[in-house]
Amino acid sequence: MIDKFEVAIIGGGIIGCSIAYYLAKEKMNVAVFEGNQIGMKTTSAAGGMLGAHSECDGDFDAFFPFARSSQFAYSELKEQLNHLCGLDIGYRKGGILKLAFNESDRNELQSILSQPTVKWLDKETLSEMEPHISNKLLGAAYIEEDVNVLPMAVCQAFAKSAQILGATINEYSPVHNIHKKENGFLIETTTGQVEAEYVVVANGVWSTTFFKQLGLDRQLMPVKGECLSVIDEKMTLKHTIFHDHCYIVPRSNGRLVIGATSIENDWNEKVSLDGIETIIAKAKTMLPNIAHLKIDSFWAGLRPQTFDRKPFIGHHPEEEGILFATGHYRNGILLAPATGQMIRDLILKRQVNNEWVEAFKIDRHQPFAIK
Amino acid sequence: MIDKFEVAIIGGGIIGCSIAYYLAKEKMNVAVFEGNQIGMKTTSAAGGMLGAHSECDGDFDAFFPFARSSQFAYSELKEQLNHLCGLDIGYRKGGILKLAFNESDRNELQSILSQPTVKWLDKETLSEMEPHISNKLLGAAYIEEDVNVLPMAVCQAFAKSAQILGATINEYSPVHNIHKKENGFLIETTTGQVEAEYVVVANGVWSTTFFKQLGLDRQLMPVKGECLSVIDEKMTLKHTIFHDHCYIVPRSNGRLVIGATSIENDWNEKVSLDGIETIIAKAKTMLPNIAHLKIDSFWAGLRPQTFDRKPFIGHHPEEEGILFATGHYRNGILLAPATGQMIRDLILKRQVNNEWVEAFKIDRHQPFAIK
Amino acid sequence: MIDKFEVAIIGGGIIGCSIAYYLAKEKMNVAVFEGNQIGMKTTSAAGGMLGAHSECDGDFDAFFPFARSSQFAYSELKEQLNHLCGLDIGYRKGGILKLAFNESDRNELQSILSQPTVKWLDKETLSEMEPHISNKLLGAAYIEEDVNVLPMAVCQAFAKSAQILGATINEYSPVHNIHKKENGFLIETTTGQVEAEYVVVANGVWSTTFFKQLGLDRQLMPVKGECLSVIDEKMTLKHTIFHDHCYIVPRSNGRLVIGATSIENDWNEKVSLDGIETIIAKAKTMLPNIAHLKIDSFWAGLRPQTFDRKPFIGHHPEEEGILFATGHYRNGILLAPATGQMIRDLILKRQVNNEWVEAFKIDRHQPFAIK
Amino acid sequence: MIDKFEVAIIGGGIIGCSIAYYLAKEKMNVAVFEGNQIGMKTTSAAGGMLGAHSECDGDFDAFFPFARSSQFAYSELKEQLNHLCGLDIGYRKGGILKLAFNESDRNELQSILSQPTVKWLDKETLSEMEPHISNKLLGAAYIEEDVNVLPMAVCQAFAKSAQILGATINEYSPVHNIHKKENGFLIETTTGQVEAEYVVVANGVWSTTFFKQLGLDRQLMPVKGECLSVIDEKMTLKHTIFHDHCYIVPRSNGRLVIGATSIENDWNEKVSLDGIETIIAKAKTMLPNIAHLKIDSFWAGLRPQTFDRKPFIGHHPEEEGILFATGHYRNGILLAPATGQMIRDLILKRQVNNEWVEAFKIDRHQPFAIK
């Protein structure tokens, strides 16, 4: 006899677990299929900045409001998840400082600075706020509302809460094939077969396999990010700082997380000497004294990049029972709550912001082919 | 030239770091000397229960009010330390259930049950609160106010906050000898010499060396405790449970900590097969389904036990510049704030509860010699 | 453009890497596709006993000579691999003692004892050879020629040597589908597509997916084995000891490996409290003093079990270009060299012992269906 | 009652364990007192090159013959220790290449090149031997007889063999004071007191404490070395390469060890970002492709440096029962066997090479004071 679910979710990272949580809250019978352990791939490698502003890249029509709604959702989730399952998601305020070393850097910050929630800080103000920061700075854009969380803690809190609400979480269960059948789908995993009315493909960069099986000419490119963490014994960096694709995030466990490289098309999840050297150099540019801090650990993860760096969220164009929630590039932590809510609303046929549907649908126009 | 401090603290566990914090807040010039890394010995091995009631063993004159004042201090420290240094100490409510499997167990709980803050729960109430608990129970004493913290997080928060307030923390600096000199003391560490007006001996079970050097016929016995942690995927234990010297503590990181053995006079800090076997058996008695949970890690630590299981806190009987803050047995985490405050008050010649001075002085009457 | 290989091997455990090595030595153009890292699944969890005798279970027609030929191959490989790639496979003599606590145990050893290379040792001889062994023993079967190796070291030495000889090893490349096409096969991996003339399915318990895709009604059952290792500070166990499905293997790095449980149909690769408790109890029965030793680490792996506990090695019954080398149950390390040689000979159309072909073919008669 | 030993050895690194082994072989009743775990400080951080030639710095009178005799001892120890205790010390041939990028480098190699066992290799020969080495080299001095071992494996093999021969090894037992008494010494450890006829101070950079207690105006300076290891998947470096104080050692476990920085007077045993950056840069100069290799782990250790960088081996000038075997700077692994033999011979009053006695005695002339 084959297990049957209303919704089968492929992928147990922060996206899949968020979806499971929001559906389980609506009493849907859902199951997550994770090939490894919950959150141990891309999620565990993330820095955890909730950079709604800092990541919006000028897209104020769809991405920014979607990201902001997700950021707001976190301030509620913090309590809800803790109350339900006892885990603490490590929500920490402080905000992000996007540094400008020169006029060119400053110009790039113009579009963010035009937001009412973002302020320009001059060098003096900056060095009062963060005394150890580089003294070669012109100033910084201060985005107070971009806070941070502990990505693995969020993912585990979603998963455990979903389980408490009735969801099934299957670890060590990679999915190989999705077959259409009458009234639903047959999902073949290494560990057996199940049936489901809806299938959500949410396994990050490894989703391309299913795009092909499901007749879609789309693909995700892995962009490997290498990180390391150091023990912040005395410096007490209070804000996340960011420059030239590198960030330093102060965490509530006393570690500074430094990241990340961007190695395109590299599927290997280990950290190279080159990568470590690169991020140390960038971190020293922002925070010279970090050179004296002691290293705690290092790791890497694969960001799933779409052709336009926006996620694929929504129905399969021809097969309503199939949905996608993948390709979140470097914004998976930030967008997890809003993605979970949007998938919930699509399955339950509730109203969804049409801007978002259009911006994130998988068959949106791709202006050029990526190799 | 030799560095000079007002207070030199020997030992960088939670006790030494608490003292450093409370003294640094008063603008004292303090230094901590830790042979290894901050908190990595006994502190890191602790369960983190703040069991003012559950550990008081009927001593309502000195131990209990001292422990309660320490427990209260934690509810303030939580915010204070986070605000000062950014670390989160993992304060988690829930309370402790001391289980009774039979009338004999229940009788042992009588003295705790006489406290107004402690309630007896019958079997039914208990199994509603904790559905996975053993069904062979008679009931439990519920101590709602005995909460828990993450011991290493507390210790690091004390250390970092102390540093921010001006204290010096020296890791990898074991102290070998304390020599009296005019107007103070010369402290010989492996890494050099310093002078101080006051010396606080706070290095747990390794303090015996200094008792002898300082002419005191006292000694601490190591009582090794072995622990393990498991991943609480679904069970969601909400309260710490305790029976027959074994506890299971649910932590805010989703782990259940199970401890601990009590191996007297064993200085070896590794975990034996015997120890693991013992605590698994005890944990299964309390929470049968725990057998299916997956192991996360294991560790051991040495509790510093005095002849009457109460700490040594106070001045050397003949040498006012020497103070002791050691021998906290299994209550180091619970008593750290009150110990730090008491040492501060003794050094600053503020008023200290005389009951506590008498109960914890190192030269109190020892009714029998321990070997 | 698609990469083309003569042979694509699915699975980078010790079986897949052995095949790659033996084929690369013949200048075949081979590639290995491993979903994770080389050897990190079942191989890394193995004890490493080369128990040709101790595992033969009375099958002296095919299994035993095959296993013995594999065991002999190791004594040559030791030097060959070290010379080629510089790695040391940890080959260690000593032999295996199969313990008998009573007459019933002794009777079970009769078929092994009938072999000329196996001796019965009485209690006295045994306690001279291994003074710490249980004193409740009747005696033991001593199989001097069953030696041991370090499984990960063997796997890495095969992989690195194969690479030096020209093979391609792809880590983090799980295979999803095998499609037949003219003159060969198209292999779809998460990371891209390749073509090959021959495909060898060698990914252990995860091979069942491909049995189904390839039209075969066969399946492998995971039998999880949980292990732990302790630091053998003084006991100096010299021989592997074995009783009631539990072994203790002394390794050349000073660790004793204790294993293993047998949990059928459990795909979860983490270690349960129950499992740890079980193997500690069994180890103490054999070697009572082991209780005092200190624990080093713990882990689990999934043995791939076929219906008759013999591996599937050979061609697909209808599709010559597809071969299987999987289902080695608990004998993967022992049988890796002979399996690599047999697959090499089948592909190169060299002569292969017909007993082995018949005994290990995937379409051999299955007397009963397993669920 | 106090335990009595003929010889008490302070320090359980490779030097202390070697001494214990050689004395236990002579049936002396010895005990080792180690503050932490056997070998876990400086020994575990070493690269493991046995660089008798490469480290001799032109001292062909005492250091070189002493180092050579130690190197020869290893070729016998390999079998002896394995036979006695079952451990494999990871002895690996290959030799050391000291690289010359220019004429200045080459000039520095002249004194080594004058040895009959050392050859100059030109660029072409070199690139045949090691195809991945920098193409900017002039050539290299090839010292075929400088091989390598696994330092922790050697240390553990000495310790375990000593135990089998009757020695006592006490871990977690730091020594605080040595007191002279009639017919011997009283040694105070944290865990208790023992008596011994002879005391050997062998605890590396932490020996300075005892120099002072024993009335000697000598001191050791810590020179911290930071290292990292990478996974050598394909490069198969066959020889240790060395340039500008940085080495890359290929180990028999498939790792390349890269080291080491030299940070004077730093007692902190953690690795800094600066340190990692420095050794990556140096490694890339020698072996450019190493940049692509994946990092395995990182660590640091404290070399004990004397004023002339030669060890202190021999009797206390006024107190015959006290001996020193410390200050081996970066040559502890190389010199461990010869040091163990020399201490054995001094205690047993056997003949010892007088050149060595004079060169290594602790009261040899110190031409300048170190701060």
Side-chain angles (χ1 to χ4, degrees):
Chain A
M1 222 202 61
I2 279 185
D3 282 334
K4 294 183 186 183
F5 298 95
E6 285 174 283
V7 185
I9 300 162
I10 301 176
I14 196 170
I15 300 297
C17 292
S18 167
I19 296 168
Y21 168 71
Y22 282 109
L23 288 170
K25 265 182 87 173
E26 304 297 321
K27 305 200 189 311
M28 298 287 282
N29 178 23
V30 300
V32 172
F33 297 90
E34 164 55 41
N36 199 275
Q37 294 177 43
I38 285 300
M40 289 296 279
K41 293 279 193 173
T42 307
T43 297
S44 67
M49 289 172 297
L50 302 181
H53 297 77
S54 50
E55 290 286 335
C56 80
D57 259 343
D59 175 356
F60 296 109
D61 298 327
F63 186 92
F64 185 66
F66 187 69
R68 282 290 273 171
S69 84
S70 205
Q71 207 182 40
F72 287 132
Y74 267 111
S75 54
E76 287 174 16
L77 278 169
K78 194 179 122 187
E79 303 296 340
Q80 282 169 8
L81 295 174
N82 183 259
H83 190 257
L84 193 54
C85 75
L87 302 197
D88 177 346
I89 66 167
Y91 190 90
R92 180 187 158 120
K93 295 183 178 178
I96 294 179
L97 293 165
K98 294 195 94 168
L99 309 183
F101 282 83
N102 48 47
E103 286 300 333
S104 152
D105 285 351
R106 186 174 180 159
N107 288 337
E108 281 184 27
L109 297 172
Q110 284 316 324
S111 93
I112 294 181
L113 283 165
S114 68
Q115 292 295 309
T117 43
V118 180
K119 291 199 278 232
W120 172 256
L121 303 182
D122 63 16
K123 187 176 172 163
E124 287 66 37
T125 317
L126 201 51
S127 79
E128 269 169 46
M129 280 174 67
E130 292 290 357
H132 297 283
I133 216 165
S134 168
N135 60 16
K136 296 185 182 147
L137 286 165
L138 208 62
Y142 179 37
I143 315 162
E144 197 170 354
E145 299 188 10
D146 283 3
V147 297
N148 65 72
V149 292
L150 295 173
M152 271 305 278
V154 177
C155 185
Q156 287 169 340
F158 274 138
K160 193 168 172 184
S161 297
Q163 283 178 301
I164 290 169
L165 295 167
T168 302
I169 306 277
N170 302 287
E171 294 188 314
Y172 302 103
S173 300
V175 172
H176 280 264
N177 289 290
I178 305 167
H179 299 286
K180 182 161 170 69
K181 38 174 294 177
E182 218 183 327
N183 300 324
F185 301 89
L186 182 74
I187 294 109
E188 276 179 17
T189 83
T190 292
T191 62
Q193 298 185 329
V194 300
E195 288 179 16
E197 290 166 47
Y198 290 91
V199 176
V200 186
V201 175
N203 61 333
V205 72
W206 302 274
S207 302
T208 303
T209 302
F210 301 108
F211 297 167
K212 285 188 188 147
Q213 284 188 14
L214 298 163
L216 295 172
D217 183 24
R218 281 286 179 269
Q219 85 179 51
L220 298 174
M221 181 169 72
V223 180
K224 176 157 106 175
E226 293 155 303
C227 296
L228 56 81
S229 66
V230 295
I231 306 168
D232 181 15
E233 284 173 341
K234 301 179 207 177
M235 295 187 50
T236 61
L237 188 72
K238 288 189 183 65
H239 309 79
T240 294
I241 57 178
F242 186 96
H243 182 257
D244 188 21
H245 309 295
C246 180
Y247 53 77
I248 305 179
V249 183
R251 284 199 172 158
S252 61
N253 61 3
R255 299 295 181 265
L256 300 180
V257 174
I258 311 172
T261 56
S262 285
I263 318 291
E264 299 193 341
N265 265 319
D266 182 350
W267 289 92
N268 185 300
E269 297 169 36
K270 296 180 211 155
V271 174
S272 67
L273 285 194
D274 250 357
I276 289 287
E277 198 183 27
T278 302
I279 56 179
I280 294 176
K282 290 193 176 187
K284 283 168 67 177
T285 303
M286 293 192 279
L287 200 64
N289 287 343
I290 204 169
H292 305 305
L293 296 190
K294 303 308 184 291
I295 189 167
D296 177 52
S297 65
F298 55 88
W299 65 89
L302 306 185
R303 305 178 193 89
Q305 184 179 302
T306 65
F307 64 89
D308 59 3
R309 300 192 173 176
K310 307 232 164 67
F312 293 147
I313 309 173
H315 290 287
H316 186 289
E318 285 144 31
E319 193 68 79
E320 204 195 298
I322 301 284
L323 294 100
F324 299 97
T326 188
H328 288 71
Y329 188 42
R330 60 184 184 223
N331 299 307
I333 311 306
L334 169 61
L335 303 181
T339 302
Q341 293 168 346
M342 183 167 161
I343 293 291
R344 173 200 62 196
D345 294 343
L346 288 169
I347 286 177
L348 296 177
K349 304 193 196 316
R350 295 180 182 172
Q351 197 178 349
V352 179
N353 182 326
N354 198 51
E355 293 273 6
W356 303 350
V357 171
E358 290 301 314
F360 304 139
K361 68 182 184 190
I362 194 167
D363 55 335
R364 64 185 177 261
H365 176 63
Q366 177 173 345
F368 53 89
I370 57 171
K371 206 179 64 81
Chain B
M1 222 205 60
I2 280 185
D3 282 333
K4 294 183 187 185
F5 298 95
E6 286 174 283
V7 185
I9 299 162
I10 301 176
I14 195 170
I15 300 296
C17 293
S18 167
I19 297 168
Y21 168 71
Y22 283 109
L23 288 171
K25 266 181 87 174
E26 304 297 321
K27 305 201 189 310
M28 299 287 281
N29 179 22
V30 300
V32 173
F33 296 90
E34 164 55 42
N36 198 273
Q37 294 178 42
I38 286 299
M40 289 297 277
K41 293 279 192 172
T42 307
T43 298
S44 67
M49 289 173 296
L50 303 180
H53 298 76
S54 49
E55 290 287 335
C56 79
D57 260 342
D59 175 357
F60 296 109
D61 298 327
F63 186 91
F64 185 66
F66 187 69
R68 283 291 272 171
S69 84
S70 206
Q71 206 182 40
F72 288 131
Y74 267 111
S75 54
E76 286 172 16
L77 278 169
K78 192 179 125 188
E79 304 295 339
Q80 280 169 8
L81 295 174
N82 183 261
H83 189 256
L84 194 54
C85 76
L87 302 198
D88 178 345
I89 66 168
Y91 189 91
R92 180 186 157 122
K93 294 183 179 178
I96 295 179
L97 293 165
K98 292 195 94 168
L99 308 184
F101 282 84
N102 49 47
E103 286 300 331
S104 152
D105 284 351
R106 185 173 179 161
N107 288 338
E108 281 183 28
L109 297 173
Q110 285 316 325
S111 91
I112 294 182
L113 283 166
S114 67
Q115 292 295 307
T117 43
V118 180
K119 289 199 277 231
W120 171 257
L121 303 182
D122 62 16
K123 188 175 175 166
E124 287 65 39
T125 316
L126 203 52
S127 80
E128 267 169 46
M129 280 172 68
E130 290 292 355
H132 297 284
I133 216 164
S134 167
N135 60 16
K136 294 184 183 146
L137 286 165
L138 207 63
Y142 179 36
I143 315 163
E144 196 169 357
E145 298 188 11
D146 282 4
V147 298
N148 66 72
V149 293
L150 295 173
M152 271 304 278
V154 177
C155 185
Q156 287 170 340
F158 274 138
K160 193 167 173 183
S161 297
Q163 284 178 300
I164 290 168
L165 295 167
T168 302
I169 307 278
N170 301 288
E171 294 188 313
Y172 302 103
S173 299
V175 172
H176 281 264
N177 288 290
I178 305 168
H179 299 286
K180 182 160 170 69
K181 39 173 293 177
E182 217 181 329
N183 299 324
F185 301 88
L186 182 73
I187 294 110
E188 277 179 19
T189 82
T190 292
T191 63
Q193 298 185 326
V194 300
E195 288 179 16
E197 290 166 46
Y198 291 90
V199 176
V200 186
V201 174
N203 61 333
V205 73
W206 301 275
S207 302
T208 303
T209 302
F210 300 108
F211 297 167
K212 286 189 187 146
Q213 285 187 14
L214 298 164
L216 294 172
D217 183 24
R218 282 284 179 270
Q219 85 180 50
L220 299 173
M221 181 170 72
V223 181
K224 176 156 105 173
E226 294 155 302
C227 297
L228 54 81
S229 65
V230 296
I231 306 167
D232 181 16
E233 284 173 342
K234 300 181 208 174
M235 295 188 47
T236 60
L237 187 72
K238 288 190 184 65
H239 309 79
T240 294
I241 57 178
F242 187 94
H243 183 255
D244 188 22
H245 309 294
C246 180
Y247 53 77
I248 306 179
V249 184
R251 285 201 171 156
S252 61
N253 62 3
R255 298 296 182 267
L256 300 181
V257 174
I258 312 172
T261 57
S262 284
I263 318 291
E264 298 194 341
N265 266 318
D266 183 350
W267 289 92
N268 185 301
E269 299 170 36
K270 298 181 210 155
V271 174
S272 67
L273 286 194
D274 251 357
I276 289 288
E277 198 183 28
T278 302
I279 55 179
I280 294 176
K282 290 193 177 189
K284 283 168 67 177
T285 303
M286 293 192 279
L287 200 64
N289 286 345
I290 204 169
H292 306 305
L293 296 190
K294 303 306 184 290
I295 189 166
D296 177 51
S297 66
F298 56 88
W299 64 88
L302 306 185
R303 305 179 192 89
Q305 183 179 303
T306 64
F307 65 89
D308 60 2
R309 300 191 173 178
K310 308 232 165 65
F312 294 147
I313 309 174
H315 290 288
H316 186 288
E318 285 143 32
E319 193 69 79
E320 203 193 300
I322 301 284
L323 294 100
F324 299 97
T326 188
H328 288 72
Y329 188 43
R330 59 186 185 222
N331 299 307
I333 310 309
L334 169 61
L335 303 181
T339 302
Q341 292 168 348
M342 182 166 160
I343 293 290
R344 173 199 64 196
D345 293 343
L346 289 169
I347 286 177
L348 296 177
K349 304 194 196 317
R350 295 181 183 171
Q351 198 180 345
V352 179
N353 182 325
N354 197 52
E355 293 272 5
W356 303 350
V357 171
E358 290 300 314
F360 304 140
K361 68 182 182 189
I362 194 166
D363 55 335
R364 64 185 178 262
H365 177 64
Q366 176 173 345
F368 52 89
I370 57 172
K371 208 179 58 88
Chain C
M1 221 203 59
I2 279 185
D3 283 332
K4 293 184 186 182
F5 298 96
E6 285 175 284
V7 185
I9 299 162
I10 300 176
I14 196 170
I15 300 296
C17 292
S18 167
I19 297 167
Y21 168 72
Y22 283 108
L23 288 171
K25 266 182 86 174
E26 304 297 321
K27 306 200 189 310
M28 299 286 282
N29 178 23
V30 299
V32 173
F33 297 90
E34 164 55 42
N36 199 274
Q37 295 178 42
I38 285 300
M40 289 297 277
K41 292 278 192 175
T42 308
T43 298
S44 67
M49 289 172 297
L50 303 180
H53 298 77
S54 49
E55 289 287 335
C56 80
D57 260 342
D59 175 357
F60 295 110
D61 297 328
F63 186 92
F64 185 66
F66 187 69
R68 283 288 274 171
S69 84
S70 205
Q71 206 182 39
F72 287 133
Y74 266 110
S75 54
E76 285 172 18
L77 278 168
K78 193 179 123 188
E79 304 296 338
Q80 281 169 8
L81 295 174
N82 183 261
H83 190 255
L84 194 54
C85 75
L87 302 196
D88 178 346
I89 65 168
Y91 189 90
R92 181 186 156 120
K93 295 184 179 177
I96 294 179
L97 292 166
K98 294 195 93 167
L99 308 184
F101 281 84
N102 49 45
E103 285 301 332
S104 151
D105 284 352
R106 185 174 179 161
N107 288 339
E108 281 184 28
L109 297 173
Q110 285 316 325
S111 93
I112 294 182
L113 282 166
S114 67
Q115 292 295 308
T117 43
V118 180
K119 287 200 280 232
W120 172 257
L121 302 183
D122 62 16
K123 188 175 173 166
E124 287 66 37
T125 315
L126 202 50
S127 80
E128 269 169 45
M129 280 173 70
E130 291 291 356
H132 297 284
I133 215 165
S134 168
N135 60 16
K136 295 187 182 146
L137 285 166
L138 208 64
Y142 179 36
I143 314 164
E144 196 170 356
E145 299 188 10
D146 282 4
V147 297
N148 66 73
V149 293
L150 295 172
M152 271 304 278
V154 176
C155 185
Q156 287 170 339
F158 273 139
K160 194 167 172 184
S161 297
Q163 283 178 302
I164 290 168
L165 295 166
T168 301
I169 306 278
N170 301 288
E171 294 188 313
Y172 301 104
S173 299
V175 172
H176 280 264
N177 288 290
I178 306 167
H179 298 286
K180 182 158 171 68
K181 39 173 293 176
E182 217 182 329
N183 301 323
F185 301 89
L186 182 74
I187 294 109
E188 276 179 17
T189 83
T190 293
T191 62
Q193 298 186 328
V194 300
E195 287 179 16
E197 292 168 45
Y198 290 91
V199 176
V200 186
V201 175
N203 61 333
V205 72
W206 302 275
S207 302
T208 302
T209 302
F210 301 108
F211 297 167
K212 286 187 188 148
Q213 284 188 14
L214 298 163
L216 295 173
D217 183 24
R218 283 284 179 268
Q219 85 180 50
L220 298 174
M221 179 168 73
V223 181
K224 176 157 106 174
E226 293 154 302
C227 295
L228 56 80
S229 66
V230 295
I231 306 169
D232 181 14
E233 284 173 343
K234 301 182 208 175
M235 293 187 49
T236 61
L237 188 73
K238 289 190 183 66
H239 309 80
T240 294
I241 58 179
F242 186 96
H243 182 257
D244 188 21
H245 308 295
C246 180
Y247 53 77
I248 305 179
V249 183
R251 284 198 173 159
S252 60
N253 61 3
R255 298 295 181 265
L256 299 181
V257 174
I258 311 172
T261 55
S262 284
I263 319 291
E264 299 194 342
N265 265 320
D266 183 350
W267 290 91
N268 185 301
E269 298 169 37
K270 296 180 210 155
V271 174
S272 67
L273 285 194
D274 250 358
I276 289 287
E277 198 183 28
T278 302
I279 55 178
I280 293 176
K282 289 193 177 188
K284 282 169 66 177
T285 303
M286 293 192 279
L287 200 65
N289 288 343
I290 205 168
H292 306 305
L293 296 190
K294 303 307 183 292
I295 189 167
D296 178 53
S297 66
F298 56 88
W299 64 89
L302 306 184
R303 305 178 194 90
Q305 183 180 301
T306 64
F307 64 89
D308 59 3
R309 301 191 171 176
K310 308 234 164 65
F312 294 147
I313 309 173
H315 290 286
H316 186 289
E318 284 142 32
E319 194 68 79
E320 204 194 298
I322 301 284
L323 294 99
F324 299 98
T326 189
H328 288 71
Y329 188 43
R330 59 184 185 222
N331 299 307
I333 311 307
L334 169 62
L335 302 181
T339 302
Q341 292 168 347
M342 183 166 160
I343 293 292
R344 173 199 64 197
D345 294 343
L346 288 169
I347 287 177
L348 296 178
K349 304 193 196 317
R350 295 180 184 171
Q351 197 178 348
V352 179
N353 181 324
N354 198 50
E355 293 273 6
W356 303 350
V357 171
E358 291 300 316
F360 304 140
K361 68 184 184 188
I362 195 167
D363 55 335
R364 64 186 177 261
H365 176 63
Q366 177 173 345
F368 54 90
I370 57 171
K371 208 179 63 80
Chain D
M1 221 202 61
I2 280 185
D3 283 333
K4 294 183 187 184
F5 298 95
E6 286 175 283
V7 185
I9 299 162
I10 301 176
I14 196 170
I15 300 296
C17 293
S18 167
I19 296 168
Y21 168 70
Y22 282 110
L23 287 171
K25 266 182 86 173
E26 303 298 320
K27 307 198 189 311
M28 299 287 282
N29 179 21
V30 300
V32 172
F33 297 90
E34 163 56 41
N36 199 275
Q37 295 177 42
I38 286 298
M40 289 297 278
K41 292 280 192 171
T42 308
T43 297
S44 67
M49 290 172 297
L50 303 180
H53 297 77
S54 49
E55 289 287 335
C56 80
D57 259 343
D59 175 355
F60 296 110
D61 297 327
F63 186 91
F64 186 66
F66 187 69
R68 283 289 273 170
S69 83
S70 206
Q71 206 182 40
F72 287 131
Y74 267 111
S75 54
E76 286 173 16
L77 278 169
K78 193 179 124 189
E79 304 295 340
Q80 281 169 7
L81 294 174
N82 182 260
H83 189 256
L84 194 54
C85 76
L87 302 197
D88 178 346
I89 66 168
Y91 189 90
R92 181 187 156 121
K93 296 185 179 178
I96 294 179
L97 293 165
K98 293 196 93 167
L99 308 184
F101 282 84
N102 49 48
E103 285 301 331
S104 153
D105 285 350
R106 185 173 180 161
N107 287 338
E108 281 183 28
L109 297 173
Q110 284 316 324
S111 92
I112 293 182
L113 283 166
S114 67
Q115 291 296 308
T117 43
V118 180
K119 289 199 279 230
W120 172 256
L121 303 182
D122 62 16
K123 187 175 173 164
E124 286 67 37
T125 316
L126 203 50
S127 82
E128 269 169 44
M129 279 173 68
E130 291 291 355
H132 297 284
I133 216 164
S134 167
N135 61 16
K136 294 186 183 144
L137 286 166
L138 209 62
Y142 179 36
I143 315 163
E144 196 170 356
E145 299 189 11
D146 283 3
V147 297
N148 65 74
V149 293
L150 295 172
M152 271 305 277
V154 177
C155 185
Q156 287 170 339
F158 273 139
K160 194 168 173 183
S161 297
Q163 283 177 302
I164 290 169
L165 295 167
T168 302
I169 307 279
N170 301 287
E171 294 188 314
Y172 301 104
S173 299
V175 172
H176 280 264
N177 288 290
I178 305 167
H179 299 286
K180 182 160 169 69
K181 39 173 294 179
E182 216 182 330
N183 299 325
F185 301 88
L186 182 74
I187 294 109
E188 276 179 17
T189 82
T190 293
T191 62
Q193 298 186 326
V194 300
E195 288 179 16
E197 291 167 46
Y198 290 91
V199 176
V200 186
V201 174
N203 61 333
V205 72
W206 301 274
S207 302
T208 303
T209 301
F210 300 107
F211 297 167
K212 286 187 188 148
Q213 284 189 14
L214 298 163
L216 295 172
D217 183 24
R218 284 285 179 267
Q219 87 180 51
L220 299 173
M221 181 169 71
V223 181
K224 175 156 107 174
E226 293 156 302
C227 297
L228 56 80
S229 66
V230 295
I231 306 168
D232 181 15
E233 283 173 343
K234 300 181 207 176
M235 295 188 48
T236 60
L237 188 73
K238 289 190 183 65
H239 309 80
T240 294
I241 58 179
F242 187 94
H243 182 255
D244 188 20
H245 309 295
C246 180
Y247 53 78
I248 306 178
V249 183
R251 285 199 172 158
S252 61
N253 61 2
R255 299 294 181 266
L256 299 181
V257 174
I258 311 173
T261 56
S262 285
I263 318 291
E264 298 193 342
N265 265 319
D266 183 350
W267 290 92
N268 185 301
E269 299 169 36
K270 297 180 211 155
V271 175
S272 67
L273 285 194
D274 251 356
I276 289 286
E277 198 183 27
T278 303
I279 55 179
I280 294 175
K282 290 194 177 187
K284 282 168 68 177
T285 303
M286 292 191 280
L287 199 65
N289 286 344
I290 205 169
H292 306 305
L293 295 190
K294 303 307 184 291
I295 189 167
D296 178 52
S297 65
F298 56 88
W299 64 89
L302 306 185
R303 305 177 192 89
Q305 183 179 303
T306 64
F307 65 89
D308 61 2
R309 300 191 171 175
K310 307 231 165 68
F312 293 148
I313 309 174
H315 290 287
H316 186 289
E318 283 143 31
E319 194 67 80
E320 205 194 296
I322 301 284
L323 294 100
F324 299 98
T326 189
H328 288 72
Y329 189 42
R330 59 185 185 222
N331 299 307
I333 311 307
L334 169 61
L335 303 182
T339 301
Q341 292 168 347
M342 183 165 159
I343 293 292
R344 173 199 61 197
D345 293 344
L346 288 168
I347 286 178
L348 296 178
K349 304 191 197 317
R350 295 180 184 173
Q351 198 178 347
V352 179
N353 182 325
N354 198 50
E355 293 271 6
W356 302 352
V357 171
E358 289 300 314
F360 304 140
K361 68 183 183 189
I362 194 167
D363 55 335
R364 64 186 178 261
H365 177 63
Q366 176 173 345
F368 53 89
I370 57 172
K371 206 179 64 81

